[in-house]
Amino acid sequence: MHQPRTFSDKVFLFIKGLAMGTANKVPGVSGGIVAFVAGFYEEFIYSLQKVNLKAFKLLFNGRFKSFYRYVNGPFLSVLIFGMLVSYFSVSKLLDYFLETKELFVWATFFGMIIGSIYFIAKDFEHWNRKTITWGVLGLIAGISISFLSPARENDNLLFIFLCGIISVSGMTLPGLSGSFILILLGNYVLLLVDSVNALYDTIAELVQGDFSFTSNTERIDTLKILAVFTLGSAAGLVTLSHLLGYVLKHFRHITTATIIGFITGSLGVVWPWKRTIFAEDSLGQVLFDSNGDPVIRNYERYLPDMSLTESWWAIGYIILGILILIGLEWYGKSREKK
């Protein structure tokens, strides 16, 4: 697992970290798909498993180099750095395009997921009664999650911690979008928009020597929420990685079949042609959460109007998404050969 990496390998790993971070933020898209298709999913899970009691003993005893090697630091540090940069750069750009070119963004991710299904399935040669059954169960689960209705926003810190544990599944489980799970839990805007933007603004102010945020009660509360969410995410990563490591080791074919079914079922979440349905009260007025954002109830999906130029552009972006996956898969294969 601990393969020596050239400078170009580290650059590509950083780019994949950017891709994972961006995918994790988009509702319906899973960063785990990026890891799975790009060929570093097992190393990712293996490295997370190393964050255990032995690792903490090395850390607390001041054996930092041993700790860094033990947890596969050269791999995790570059990947996580790419994800962090994504949250404060690419994600900001993504927010802009979701507001101005939403159809094309969804189309690109739809194409990426189609590509991921093809590339995962084409090398899977273990279809039998058992794997087909689990594949169908994964398909049903993916479709079911696609049509669940979101809950209301909840800023209780214990619930925020649980949100962190649950939402991090998007990084470790291909096809299960952590962002979409946060929408279902009602806390997507609070945790992945408001909290991240609050941290970004705070860092920007600190760089300028401005400490006025310390008297901003709302900002402090939001940063506290982000801190608890981050702790929950870290706990979820370590816990899920150990569970997935065991499952991948003992039930590899069943797990892959389930993932293929689940990703296929989750395609409905990222169908490009859809309208957002906002929650309304008994008088037909749109409901807003505590941050003044309209509460999303679900999405209304429809077939594209092929007489519109933008529909053809969207199809072009779907093809672009597939081509992106071809590039990721090609690099993953070339890495394995090395």
Side-chain angles (χ1 to χ4, degrees):
M1 288 284 185
H2 295 72
Q3 302 178 51
R5 283 183 162 80
T6 63
F7 178 75
S8 62
D9 287 333
K10 292 178 181 179
V11 170
F12 276 109
L13 184 59
F14 173 76
I15 292 172
K16 286 186 279 191
L18 288 176
M20 279 192 75
T22 303
N24 282 326
K25 191 174 180 181
V26 179
V29 184
S30 163
I33 289 180
V34 176
F36 202 93
V37 176
F40 64 94
Y41 181 71
E42 288 191 38
E43 183 174 7
F44 180 57
I45 297 300
Y46 171 82
S47 301
L48 291 176
Q49 279 186 284
K50 290 295 185 178
V51 183
N52 51 28
L53 186 60
K54 181 178 178 179
F56 284 114
K57 284 182 178 178
L58 291 172
L59 187 63
F60 292 138
N61 288 333
R63 298 175 60 186
F64 301 116
K65 287 186 178 179
S66 297
F67 168 80
Y68 188 70
R69 287 195 302 269
Y70 181 73
V71 299
N72 197 10
F75 169 80
L76 277 182
S77 58
V78 175
L79 186 69
I80 292 174
F81 179 61
M83 293 170 65
L84 289 173
V85 171
S86 167
Y87 273 107
F88 300 110
S89 57
V90 178
S91 292
K92 288 278 187 179
L93 187 63
L94 182 65
D95 288 340
Y96 169 76
F97 282 116
L98 279 171
E99 290 180 8
T100 59
K101 302 291 182 182
E102 184 178 13
L103 174 62
F104 299 152
V105 173
W106 287 118
T108 304
F109 282 112
F110 187 77
M112 290 177 69
I113 293 178
I114 289 176
S116 71
I117 294 168
Y118 169 73
F119 284 116
I120 295 172
K122 75 180 179 68
D123 294 326
F124 186 67
E125 301 174 347
H126 304 280
W127 291 112
N128 52 47
R129 184 177 297 178
K130 184 179 290 186
T131 54
I132 290 174
T133 299
W134 280 98
V136 171
L137 289 174
L139 177 68
I140 293 171
I143 293 173
S144 300
I145 287 177
S146 299
F147 292 96
L148 288 175
S149 297
R152 297 290 298 275
E153 183 178 289
N154 186 342
D155 60 1
N156 178 276
L157 292 182
L158 178 58
F159 184 71
I160 294 297
F161 185 81
L162 292 175
C163 283
I165 293 175
I166 297 169
S167 70
V168 81
S169 57
M171 287 177 60
T172 51
L173 292 171
L176 184 58
S177 166
S179 296
F180 187 68
I181 293 296
L182 284 180
I183 282 183
L184 295 179
L185 295 173
N187 277 356
Y188 174 77
V189 173
L190 175 63
L191 297 174
L192 289 190
V193 179
D194 295 338
S195 296
V196 173
N197 288 341
L199 180 60
Y200 180 85
D201 293 339
T202 301
I203 293 174
E205 290 171 5
L206 285 173
V207 170
Q208 297 172 5
D210 182 0
F211 296 90
S212 61
F213 72 90
T214 55
S215 58
N216 187 332
T217 306
E218 184 179 346
R219 176 81 66 83
I220 295 298
D221 288 342
T222 305
L223 291 174
K224 188 187 300 181
I225 285 172
L226 181 60
V228 173
F229 176 68
T230 303
L231 287 174
S233 298
L237 267 181
V238 175
T239 305
L240 279 173
S241 64
H242 282 81
L243 176 62
L244 285 170
Y246 177 84
V247 170
L248 283 169
K249 183 177 180 179
H250 295 88
F251 308 100
R252 176 182 295 275
H253 301 325
I254 288 176
T255 303
T256 304
T258 306
I259 287 172
I260 292 171
F262 195 91
I263 294 174
T264 305
S266 69
L267 274 173
V269 180
V270 288
W271 177 251
W273 293 274
K274 59 188 173 186
R275 300 182 187 89
T276 304
I277 301 174
F278 297 105
E280 298 178 348
D281 59 20
S282 58
L283 298 176
Q285 301 294 318
V286 175
L287 295 173
F288 294 87
D289 59 28
S290 59
N291 295 291
D293 298 296
V295 178
I296 297 175
R297 183 163 63 86
N298 219 314
Y299 298 98
E300 178 187 355
R301 298 163 181 86
Y302 59 92
L303 294 175
D305 182 353
M306 300 313 298
S307 66
L308 298 176
T309 304
E310 71 169 12
S311 296
W312 289 102
W313 273 106
I315 290 174
Y317 278 98
I318 290 175
I319 295 172
L320 174 64
I322 294 172
L323 291 176
I324 290 172
L325 259 293
I326 289 175
L328 284 173
E329 198 260 354
W330 172 82
Y331 177 75
K333 291 289 186 183
S334 64
R335 175 68 188 171
E336 285 178 5
K337 287 179 182 179
K338 289 180 182 179

